[in-house]
Amino acid sequence: MEPTTLTTERLLLRPWTPDDADQVHAYCQDPAIQRWTTVPSPYEHHHAEGWVGELAPRGWREDTEYAFAVCLADSGLLVASAGVHVHGPGEYEIGYWTAKEHRGRGYTAEAVDRIARWVFTDLGATRLEWRAEAGNTPSRAVAEKVGFRYEGLLRAALPQRGTARDAWIAGLLPSDLGLPSAEPYLPHPTEAK
């Protein structure tokens, strides 16, 4: 897929460029980003260079991941990272991190909402998943603010630096955002609410 740029009232979501390496490296020194995400730890400059220069562009080319640099629309300042992992045909999962100094302003929820709408309208997805290591309450708060519905705990479902960890999982459907679905959905009668 060709890299895509998305916008919101406050944000520009664009593909990563090699010029982002220094800022990504600086932000990923945050112990919380290293603790709760799968970025390497310690996070060295060559990791950032590889991400913005090789891995993120390859994801777009090979349709395995659609990664966005989340920037303020008025200044271009990088504030977060958000992306969609493609697990198979029609199987998508969102992931994100926010720079410490930009947390609590709603930027990540705004970006995730915009990306979800793109996944449903442009990619034709019928479901978008969010997963995070159990205990990552800030990430869960973002997902729930967007409309993801918590679905449970997956035991030993998240590999993290050689250790299998429990993961929270939540799902978002187009109807949760007031959008039509690419195909009909028939919920199980005991689960429909």
Side-chain angles (χ1 to χ4, degrees), residues 68-154:
F68 295 93
V70 179
C71 304
L72 298 182
D74 58 358
S75 67
L77 178 68
L78 177 67
V79 297
S81 172
V84 176
H85 307 277
V86 182
H87 292 296
E91 297 177 24
Y92 303 98
E93 177 187 340
I94 192 124
Y96 43 84
W97 55 255
T98 309
K100 184 177 184 177
E101 55 267 35
H102 300 292
R103 293 180 191 143
R105 298 180 185 157
Y107 296 140
T108 306
E110 188 174 325
V112 169
D113 179 83
R114 180 63 184 97
I115 292 169
R117 291 173 186 281
W118 173 74
V119 167
F120 293 135
T121 58
D122 290 40
L123 303 184
T126 57
R127 173 183 169 83
L128 180 60
E129 287 187 353
W130 162 87
R131 296 179 187 209
E133 184 177 336
N136 189 346
T137 54
S139 183
R140 183 172 174 171
V142 168
E144 289 177 342
K145 183 175 183 180
V146 172
F148 282 82
R149 293 186 187 180
Y150 178 72
E151 296 172 338
L153 178 77
L154 302 174

Side-chain angles (χ1 to χ4, degrees), residues 12-83:
L12 171 70
L13 288 70
R14 61 166 175 77
W16 293 97
T17 71
D19 292 339
D20 297 318
D22 289 343
Q23 194 64 66
V24 169
H25 176 255
Y27 286 159
C28 287
Q29 298 311 301
D30 177 4
I33 290 176
Q34 291 186 29
R35 165 66 179 90
W36 294 113
T37 72
T38 58
V39 301
S41 182
Y43 195 84
E44 299 177 0
H45 203 276
H46 70 91
H47 294 125
E49 291 170 338
W51 169 246
V52 300
E54 298 170 28
L55 297 174
R58 183 184 317 142
W60 284 98
R61 277 193 316 274
E62 297 177 0
D63 287 315
T64 56
E65 181 171 9
Y66 310 126
F68 295 93
V70 179
C71 304
L72 298 182
D74 58 358
S75 67
L77 178 68
L78 177 67
V79 297
S81 172

